[in-house]
Amino acid sequence: MPHTRETAVYTHGHHESVLRSHTWRTARNSAAYLLGALKPHMRILDIGCGPGTITADLAALVPDGRVTGLDEEPGILERARAVADGRGLTNADFVTGDVHALDFPDDTFCVVHAHQVLQHVGDPVAALREMRRVTKPGGYVAVRDADYAAMTWYPESAGLDDWLDLYRRVARANGGEPDAGRRLKAWALEAGFTDVTATTSTWTYSTAEERAWWSGLWADRTVASAYAERAVAGGHATRERLEAAAAAWREWGGREDGWFAVLHGEILCREGA
Protein backbone atom coordinates (compact mmCIF):
# COMPACT_ATOMS: atom_id res chain seq x y z
CA MET A 1 0.00 0.00 0.00
CA PRO A 2 1.48 3.42 -0.90
CA HIS A 3 1.92 5.84 1.94
CA THR A 4 1.34 9.39 0.82
CA ARG A 5 0.66 10.98 4.20
CA GLU A 6 3.21 11.62 6.93
CA THR A 7 0.49 11.52 9.56
CA ALA A 8 -2.05 8.85 10.32
CA VAL A 9 -4.74 8.45 12.93
CA TYR A 10 -3.67 6.13 15.75
CA THR A 11 -6.23 3.37 15.34
CA HIS A 12 -6.32 2.10 18.92
CA GLY A 13 -6.29 5.26 21.03
CA HIS A 14 -5.50 4.97 24.75
CA HIS A 15 -8.58 3.26 26.17
CA GLU A 16 -7.97 1.06 29.23
CA SER A 17 -8.34 -2.05 27.06
CA VAL A 18 -5.43 -0.83 24.92
CA LEU A 19 -3.22 0.03 27.89
CA ARG A 20 -4.00 -3.40 29.35
CA SER A 21 -2.04 -4.81 26.43
CA HIS A 22 0.66 -2.15 26.29
CA THR A 23 1.58 -2.36 29.97
CA TRP A 24 2.09 -6.13 29.63
CA ARG A 25 4.95 -5.58 27.20
CA THR A 26 8.52 -6.01 28.38
CA ALA A 27 11.91 -5.86 26.70
CA ARG A 28 12.07 -9.66 26.98
CA ASN A 29 8.68 -10.44 25.40
CA SER A 30 8.75 -7.60 22.86
CA ALA A 31 12.38 -6.71 22.05
CA ALA A 32 14.40 -9.88 22.59
CA TYR A 33 15.96 -9.57 19.12
CA LEU A 34 17.64 -6.31 20.23
CA LEU A 35 18.92 -7.23 23.68
CA GLY A 36 22.14 -8.93 22.54
CA ALA A 37 23.29 -5.69 20.91
CA LEU A 38 22.91 -3.55 24.03
CA LYS A 39 25.92 -2.26 25.99
CA PRO A 40 25.77 -0.63 29.44
CA HIS A 41 26.84 2.82 28.19
CA MET A 42 24.38 3.18 25.31
CA ARG A 43 22.04 6.09 24.70
CA ILE A 44 18.67 4.84 23.42
CA LEU A 45 15.63 6.51 21.89
CA ASP A 46 12.40 4.54 22.38
CA ILE A 47 9.85 5.84 19.87
CA GLY A 48 6.15 5.33 20.57
CA CYS A 49 6.99 4.42 24.15
CA GLY A 50 3.39 4.51 25.41
CA PRO A 51 3.15 3.66 29.12
CA GLY A 52 6.89 3.06 29.28
CA THR A 53 7.24 -0.56 30.39
CA ILE A 54 9.70 -1.43 27.59
CA THR A 55 11.45 1.92 28.06
CA ALA A 56 12.04 1.21 31.74
CA ASP A 57 13.39 -2.26 30.96
CA LEU A 58 15.81 -0.78 28.42
CA ALA A 59 16.96 1.82 30.95
CA ALA A 60 17.72 -0.92 33.45
CA LEU A 61 19.82 -2.70 30.82
CA VAL A 62 21.98 0.38 30.11
CA PRO A 63 22.80 1.56 33.67
CA ASP A 64 25.68 3.74 32.47
CA GLY A 65 23.68 5.12 29.55
CA ARG A 66 20.36 6.88 29.11
CA VAL A 67 17.00 6.14 27.51
CA THR A 68 14.61 8.75 26.13
CA GLY A 69 11.02 7.62 25.65
CA LEU A 70 9.11 9.54 22.97
CA ASP A 71 5.38 9.57 22.29
CA GLU A 72 3.02 11.98 20.57
CA GLU A 73 0.48 11.77 23.40
CA PRO A 74 1.49 13.90 26.44
CA GLY A 75 -0.94 12.19 28.81
CA ILE A 76 0.53 8.73 28.35
CA LEU A 77 3.99 10.05 29.22
CA GLU A 78 2.85 10.75 32.78
CA ARG A 79 2.22 7.03 33.17
CA ALA A 80 5.60 6.26 31.63
CA ARG A 81 7.37 8.58 34.06
CA ALA A 82 5.54 6.94 36.95
CA VAL A 83 6.71 3.50 35.78
CA ALA A 84 10.34 4.65 35.62
CA ASP A 85 10.11 6.44 38.97
CA GLY A 86 8.48 3.40 40.55
CA ARG A 87 11.47 1.30 39.54
CA GLY A 88 13.93 3.85 40.89
CA LEU A 89 15.40 4.55 37.46
CA THR A 90 17.29 7.83 37.12
CA ASN A 91 18.49 7.37 33.55
CA ALA A 92 15.17 7.65 31.73
CA ASP A 93 13.41 10.76 30.46
CA PHE A 94 10.29 11.25 28.36
CA VAL A 95 9.38 13.77 25.65
CA THR A 96 6.64 14.36 23.12
CA GLY A 97 7.55 14.16 19.45
CA ASP A 98 6.81 12.98 15.91
CA VAL A 99 8.78 10.13 14.37
CA HIS A 100 8.69 11.94 11.00
CA ALA A 101 10.47 15.00 12.46
CA LEU A 102 12.58 14.05 15.46
CA ASP A 103 13.82 17.01 17.47
CA PHE A 104 17.36 15.69 17.91
CA PRO A 105 20.63 16.39 16.09
CA ASP A 106 22.15 13.91 13.66
CA ASP A 107 24.10 11.01 15.21
CA THR A 108 22.63 11.37 18.72
CA PHE A 109 21.69 7.82 19.75
CA CYS A 110 23.40 4.44 19.87
CA VAL A 111 20.03 2.70 19.42
CA VAL A 112 16.70 3.94 18.07
CA HIS A 113 13.91 1.51 18.90
CA ALA A 114 10.26 1.41 17.83
CA HIS A 115 7.78 -1.29 18.83
CA GLN A 116 4.39 -1.49 17.08
CA VAL A 117 4.87 2.00 15.62
CA LEU A 118 5.41 1.78 11.86
CA GLN A 119 2.05 0.07 11.33
CA HIS A 120 0.40 3.28 12.53
CA VAL A 121 2.34 5.95 10.59
CA GLY A 122 1.50 7.42 7.23
CA ASP A 123 5.01 7.17 5.75
CA PRO A 124 7.06 4.39 7.36
CA VAL A 125 9.99 4.87 4.98
CA ALA A 126 10.29 8.54 5.91
CA ALA A 127 10.06 7.54 9.57
CA LEU A 128 12.91 5.06 9.14
CA ARG A 129 15.02 7.69 7.37
CA GLU A 130 14.50 10.02 10.31
CA MET A 131 15.36 7.25 12.77
CA ARG A 132 18.50 6.57 10.76
CA ARG A 133 19.45 10.25 10.80
CA VAL A 134 19.59 10.44 14.60
CA THR A 135 21.51 7.14 14.96
CA LYS A 136 25.27 7.28 15.47
CA PRO A 137 27.59 5.52 13.01
CA GLY A 138 27.87 1.92 14.17
CA GLY A 139 24.55 2.19 16.00
CA TYR A 140 21.29 0.34 15.52
CA VAL A 141 17.74 1.01 14.41
CA ALA A 142 15.50 -1.71 15.85
CA VAL A 143 11.86 -2.10 14.79
CA ARG A 144 9.22 -4.73 15.55
CA ASP A 145 5.66 -4.79 14.21
CA ALA A 146 2.84 -7.30 14.19
CA ASP A 147 1.45 -8.60 10.92
CA TYR A 148 -2.33 -8.85 11.21
CA ALA A 149 -2.89 -10.92 8.08
CA ALA A 150 -0.51 -13.52 9.51
CA MET A 151 -2.36 -13.84 12.82
CA THR A 152 -3.79 -17.31 13.20
CA TRP A 153 -5.99 -19.10 15.68
CA TYR A 154 -7.88 -22.26 16.49
CA PRO A 155 -10.65 -23.25 16.39
CA GLU A 156 -11.94 -21.57 13.28
CA SER A 157 -14.30 -18.68 13.93
CA ALA A 158 -16.32 -16.77 11.35
CA GLY A 159 -16.66 -14.00 13.92
CA LEU A 160 -12.89 -13.62 14.30
CA ASP A 161 -12.51 -13.76 10.51
CA ASP A 162 -14.89 -10.81 10.32
CA TRP A 163 -13.05 -9.01 13.13
CA LEU A 164 -9.74 -9.32 11.30
CA ASP A 165 -11.16 -8.16 7.97
CA LEU A 166 -12.78 -5.19 9.66
CA TYR A 167 -9.70 -4.24 11.67
CA ARG A 168 -7.46 -4.22 8.60
CA ARG A 169 -9.91 -2.02 6.68
CA VAL A 170 -10.25 0.47 9.55
CA ALA A 171 -6.48 0.64 10.09
CA ARG A 172 -5.85 1.34 6.41
CA ALA A 173 -8.58 3.95 6.31
CA ASN A 174 -6.75 5.65 9.19
CA GLY A 175 -3.59 5.83 7.08
CA GLY A 176 -1.70 2.87 8.55
CA GLU A 177 -0.57 -0.54 7.35
CA PRO A 178 -1.73 -3.37 9.63
CA ASP A 179 0.38 -5.96 7.80
CA ALA A 180 3.57 -4.04 8.58
CA GLY A 181 5.58 -6.98 9.88
CA ARG A 182 6.26 -8.48 6.45
CA ARG A 183 7.16 -5.08 4.99
CA LEU A 184 9.80 -3.95 7.49
CA LYS A 185 12.82 -5.22 5.58
CA ALA A 186 11.60 -3.68 2.31
CA TRP A 187 10.92 -0.35 4.03
CA ALA A 188 14.38 -0.38 5.64
CA LEU A 189 16.10 -1.00 2.31
CA GLU A 190 14.07 1.80 0.73
CA ALA A 191 15.11 4.08 3.59
CA GLY A 192 18.77 3.52 2.68
CA PHE A 193 19.91 0.86 5.15
CA THR A 194 22.29 -1.72 3.70
CA ASP A 195 22.95 -3.85 6.80
CA VAL A 196 19.52 -5.26 7.74
CA THR A 197 18.93 -8.40 9.79
CA ALA A 198 15.31 -9.52 9.51
CA THR A 199 13.82 -11.97 12.01
CA THR A 200 10.43 -13.00 13.36
CA SER A 201 8.99 -13.91 16.74
CA THR A 202 5.53 -14.60 18.10
CA TRP A 203 3.21 -14.00 20.99
CA THR A 204 1.14 -17.11 21.74
CA TYR A 205 -1.99 -17.26 23.91
CA SER A 206 -3.17 -20.73 24.89
CA THR A 207 -3.55 -21.22 28.64
CA ALA A 208 -6.86 -20.38 30.27
CA GLU A 209 -5.35 -17.26 31.80
CA GLU A 210 -3.78 -16.14 28.52
CA ARG A 211 -6.98 -16.75 26.56
CA ALA A 212 -9.08 -14.83 29.08
CA TRP A 213 -6.68 -11.87 29.04
CA TRP A 214 -6.20 -11.69 25.25
CA SER A 215 -9.84 -12.26 24.33
CA GLY A 216 -11.08 -9.89 27.02
CA LEU A 217 -8.92 -6.97 25.99
CA TRP A 218 -9.81 -7.39 22.31
CA ALA A 219 -13.51 -7.79 23.05
CA ASP A 220 -13.43 -4.57 25.07
CA ARG A 221 -11.26 -2.78 22.51
CA THR A 222 -13.65 -3.77 19.71
CA VAL A 223 -16.65 -2.06 21.32
CA ALA A 224 -15.26 0.63 23.65
CA SER A 225 -12.00 2.09 22.31
CA ALA A 226 -11.18 4.76 19.73
CA TYR A 227 -11.04 1.92 17.21
CA ALA A 228 -14.75 1.26 17.75
CA GLU A 229 -15.59 4.93 17.29
CA ARG A 230 -13.59 5.13 14.08
CA ALA A 231 -15.06 1.91 12.72
CA VAL A 232 -18.58 3.29 13.08
CA ALA A 233 -17.83 6.90 12.13
CA GLY A 234 -15.99 5.75 9.00
CA GLY A 235 -18.93 3.65 7.87
CA HIS A 236 -16.99 0.39 8.19
CA ALA A 237 -19.23 -1.28 10.75
CA THR A 238 -22.39 -0.92 12.77
CA ARG A 239 -22.47 -1.19 16.54
CA GLU A 240 -24.20 -4.53 16.10
CA ARG A 241 -21.34 -5.84 13.97
CA LEU A 242 -18.82 -4.73 16.57
CA GLU A 243 -20.83 -6.41 19.31
CA ALA A 244 -20.87 -9.62 17.27
CA ALA A 245 -17.08 -9.47 16.88
CA ALA A 246 -16.66 -8.92 20.62
CA ALA A 247 -18.90 -11.92 21.30
CA ALA A 248 -16.76 -14.02 18.97
CA TRP A 249 -13.67 -13.02 20.94
CA ARG A 250 -15.29 -14.03 24.23
CA GLU A 251 -16.51 -17.31 22.78
CA TRP A 252 -13.00 -18.14 21.55
CA GLY A 253 -11.54 -17.15 24.93
CA GLY A 254 -13.79 -19.66 26.65
CA ARG A 255 -12.69 -22.59 24.50
CA GLU A 256 -10.37 -25.02 26.29
CA ASP A 257 -8.74 -25.84 22.94
CA GLY A 258 -8.35 -22.17 22.01
CA TRP A 259 -4.97 -21.06 20.63
CA PHE A 260 -3.91 -17.73 19.11
CA ALA A 261 -0.57 -16.68 17.61
CA VAL A 262 0.61 -13.20 16.63
CA LEU A 263 3.50 -13.10 14.16
CA HIS A 264 5.89 -10.14 14.35
CA GLY A 265 8.43 -8.97 11.83
CA GLU A 266 11.64 -7.56 13.28
CA ILE A 267 14.53 -5.64 11.75
CA LEU A 268 17.88 -4.77 13.31
CA CYS A 269 19.56 -2.24 11.05
CA ARG A 270 23.25 -1.38 11.61
CA GLU A 271 24.09 2.15 10.58
CA GLY A 272 27.39 2.42 8.68
CA ALA A 273 30.40 2.87 10.97
Side-chain angles (χ1 to χ4, degrees):
M1 172 185 174
H3 292 268
T4 58
R5 294 187 289 168
E6 286 197 349
T7 58
V9 176
Y10 180 46
T11 296
H12 298 294
H14 292 92
H15 184 264
E16 181 276 330
S17 60
V18 179
L19 296 180
R20 204 183 313 164
S21 171
H22 291 184
T23 56
W24 167 83
R25 297 172 183 174
T26 66
R28 186 166 299 279
N29 69 29
S30 299
Y33 72 102
L34 166 63
L35 302 188
L38 298 184
K39 306 297 181 186
H41 68 278
M42 283 181 160
R43 186 175 181 190
I44 300 174
L45 176 63
D46 185 22
I47 294 174
C49 67
T53 50
I54 296 176
T55 318
D57 283 354
L58 294 174
L61 292 169
V62 293
D64 303 321
R66 188 160 194 85
V67 180
T68 297
L70 181 146
D71 204 281
E72 66 177 4
E73 174 56 46
I76 200 64
L77 293 181
E78 292 305 313
R79 292 191 60 153
R81 291 185 183 100
V83 168
D85 290 346
R87 297 191 193 181
L89 296 166
T90 59
N91 63 333
D93 60 270
F94 299 89
V95 298
T96 57
D98 176 5
V99 66
H100 297 100
L102 296 170
D103 192 19
F104 302 102
D106 294 0
D107 307 336
T108 297
F109 298 96
C110 306
V111 175
V112 177
H113 169 260
H115 184 260
Q116 313 291 15
V117 171
L118 292 191
Q119 64 185 278
H120 297 297
V121 304
D123 192 338
V125 174
L128 281 164
R129 289 191 182 115
E130 188 67 350
M131 295 164 71
R132 182 185 179 202
R133 179 185 67 78
V134 301
T135 302
K136 294 179 179 180
Y140 298 90
V141 170
V143 176
R144 183 176 191 253
D145 269 277
D147 193 298
Y148 276 75
M151 290 183 182
T152 189
W153 57 83
Y154 185 86
E156 294 182 4
S157 167
L160 290 187
D161 288 342
D162 189 57
W163 160 79
L164 181 58
D165 174 70
L166 178 62
Y167 178 86
R168 292 171 73 217
R169 287 192 288 106
V170 172
R172 287 188 170 128
N174 287 340
E177 175 46 73
D179 305 341
R182 70 189 64 192
R183 292 168 163 81
L184 295 182
K185 181 181 178 182
W187 288 342
L189 294 173
E190 189 176 346
F193 289 102
T194 56
D195 185 348
V196 181
T197 301
T199 55
T200 61
S201 61
T202 59
W203 290 336
T204 304
Y205 306 99
S206 179
T207 68
E209 181 180 14
E210 290 166 347
R211 293 194 318 272
W213 181 78
W214 185 242
S215 64
L217 71 86
W218 267 110
D220 292 346
R221 190 184 299 192
T222 298
V223 295
S225 71
Y227 161 76
E229 297 170 8
R230 289 163 185 149
V232 174
H236 304 287
T238 61
R239 285 286 173 187
E240 291 75 17
R241 185 176 179 186
L242 294 177
E243 292 287 352
W249 268 112
R250 296 193 185 281
E251 180 182 5
W252 171 84
R255 290 285 300 252
E256 185 179 0
D257 58 352
W259 176 93
F260 198 108
V262 180
L263 177 74
H264 296 85
E266 303 159 341
I267 50 171
L268 191 61
C269 309
R270 189 78 184 269
E271 180 58 356

